[in-house]
Amino acid sequence: MNCIKNKTELEENGYSILSDLYSDYEIKQILACIENTEQDGNSFMKTKDLFAIRQLIKNIPELTDLLFNTKLTQLLSELSESEYFLTKAIYFDKPNKSNWFVAYHQDLSISVDKKADLKNYLNWTIKQGQYGVQPPIEILQDTITIRIHLDKTDKNNGALKVIPKSHLKGIVRTNSKDWNIENEFICEVEKGGAMLMKPLTLHASDRTTNGKKKKGNTFRV
């Protein structure tokens, strides 16, 4: 793991890929912790195309120590010049015959603990008791998304696609001429690896076509 290289790539391109954040044993522990949890609350979403858990750490607090291992905490310390804290955590499992896909977009919302009348905080929402809001662009620019891959992910089972350097253009309308698909890069990640991403990086994912599952956790700090 080369934290300096990852930090440079993240700042310049809007994303970076790591290959060895978790061992096979650590992944087994993480998956066992999720599988042994009672999954009947509003934060657990199950369809034929997707199994997701919102507010992951709140619902499964035992995952905290498993996910924030030595390598991840070291990485975060190197990436952030100031104190960091978790704002959102989601787990998802894309079944092997999933037709679920996500079109190109930016992540413009953050999770907060309460609603407040703050200047330039827009588009308030509430889902399963969790408030969301679009903050000033400076907050989004200072946020890092970490996508932890519990399965190997490639172009055939929903690997994330990104438009490199699109985060440098601020908030972009997806029908504008400020980006085009010719610059698209497919972020293939090994099992136990992770992808770092700026929320303003345009990204998308396709349907699964090779019959393989895709499990992962997404964090924002």
Side-chain angles (χ1 to χ4, degrees), residues 124-148:
W124 286 90
T125 61
I126 184 168
K127 295 178 181 178
Q128 285 85 46
Q130 176 72 64
Y131 283 103
V133 65
Q134 181 177 327
I137 192 169
E138 294 80 12
I139 301 293
L140 296 173
Q141 290 170 334
D142 199 36
T143 298
I144 300 171
T145 298
I146 304 171
R147 298 173 63 92
I148 297 168

Side-chain angles (χ1 to χ4, degrees), residues 104-106 108 169-179 202:
Y104 269 107
H105 66 288
Q106 296 171 303
L108 301 180
K169 298 180 180 294
I171 297 175
V172 178
R173 289 184 177 274
T174 53
N175 61 354
S176 75
K177 297 180 180 180
D178 287 339
W179 66 281
L202 282 158

